[in-house]
Amino acid sequence: MNPLFYNSYILFSDENMKKIENAKIALAGIGGVGSITLEMLARAGVQNFKAADNDKYAEVNLNRQLFAVKETIGKNKALAAKERLLSINPNCRIEVFEDGVTVKNMYDFCSDADIIMSIVDSEAAKTLMHRIAKKNRIPVIMGSRESLESASRWSVRAQLWDYKNRPDLKTFGETNHPEFERYPLEEITQEMVKEYDE
C-alpha cells in the first residue's frame, strides 16, 4: 500500500485502488473546473494523465483557478498542471498537450484513454472528442460551472456519456451539432474547427 493514498485505500478495495492507479485520464481544459478535477484525481491515487490546454495563466485567473499563482502567470496551463501533479505525487506520468486538443493531435489525446474529461469551451473540439470516444468505446465526462446568468453560478455541472457500456448512445455532436457532425473526420481541418466555434 502506498502511504500517500492511505485514505483512498480506506474507501476503496485493493482491486479498485489498482484500477484507479492504472487508469489513464485524458483531461482537456485546465481552468477553474479542470484544475480542481486534476488535483483531486491525483490526490485520490490516479497516476496516468493526459493534460491539454493551449491557454496561459493570467492574473485574472488568480481568484478561481487552482494552479494559478504568481509563479505560473504566463505559463501554459497544461505545463503548470504537470508541475503541480508531480509535486503531489512524483510517480505521476503526465503527457502534456500545450496546443490543446487539435485536429492534428486529437487521436493521440483520446484513443488510449480510459476516460476522457472534456472541460473545454470549443463546441467543435467537444464534438470531435466524442466521435473518437464513441468509436473506441471510451466514456466521456463533460463538466462546466454554471453560467453567469444562473442563480447557482458557483455550482458545477457534470454529464456522462458511457460509450463503453452504451455504444448505442448518440454522441454530443449528433445531439447538439448535427451540421458539424456530418463531416467525415478525415476531412475536418483546424480552420473548420475555428470557423465553427466563431
Side-chain angles (χ1 to χ4, degrees), residues 25-42 49-53 57 64-67 77-78 81 84-85 117-121 141-145 156-157:
I25 307 296
L27 188 145
I30 308 171
V33 175
S35 57
I36 292 171
T37 303
L38 273 177
E39 178 149 332
M40 292 301 99
L41 288 169
F49 295 95
K50 293 183 177 187
D53 203 306
Y57 282 114
R64 62 188 176 84
Q65 297 192 16
L66 191 59
F67 303 155
K77 292 182 177 182
R84 174 78 171 193
L85 298 189
M117 306 193 82
S118 171
I119 315 177
V120 295
D121 295 327
I141 297 173
M142 284 178 51
S144 66
R145 65 180 175 85
V156 173
R157 295 174 295 176

Side-chain angles (χ1 to χ4, degrees), residues 3 24 30 34 37 42 45 47 52 69 74 90 100 107 115 119 125 149 153 167:
K24 181 176 282 188
I30 308 171
T37 303
Q47 298 186 121
V69 293
Y107 290 101
I115 297 174
I119 315 177
E149 290 76 25
R153 62 180 179 269

Side-chain angles (χ1 to χ4, degrees), residues 60-163:
V60 294
N61 302 136
L62 288 170
N63 71 327
R64 62 188 176 84
Q65 297 192 16
L66 191 59
F67 303 155
V69 293
K70 287 188 176 181
E71 292 77 14
T72 61
I73 298 301
K75 181 172 286 188
N76 175 268
K77 292 182 177 182
L79 281 174
K82 179 177 181 176
E83 292 176 6
R84 174 78 171 193
L85 298 189
L86 288 173
S87 73
I88 296 167
N89 180 5
N91 294 319
C92 280
R93 292 171 290 277
I94 306 113
E95 187 176 355
V96 170
F97 291 74
E98 289 184 66
D99 295 328
V101 178
T102 67
V103 169
K104 187 176 179 180
N105 70 23
M106 62 184 178
Y107 290 101
D108 287 338
F109 181 75
C110 296
S111 58
D112 64 341
D114 293 300
I115 297 174
I116 296 168
M117 306 193 82
S118 171
I119 315 177
V120 295
D121 295 327
S122 168
E123 294 295 298
K126 291 176 190 175
T127 299
L128 295 176
M129 283 190 281
H130 273 266
R131 289 175 71 175
I132 296 169
K134 182 172 182 176
K135 182 179 179 181
N136 292 280
R137 296 188 66 174
I138 302 168
V140 177
I141 297 173
M142 284 178 51
S144 66
R145 65 180 175 85
E146 293 282 358
S147 67
L148 291 175
E149 290 76 25
S150 170
S152 59
R153 62 180 179 269
W154 296 112
S155 64
V156 173
R157 295 174 295 176
Q159 188 172 358
L160 168 68
W161 278 262
D162 189 2
Y163 299 123

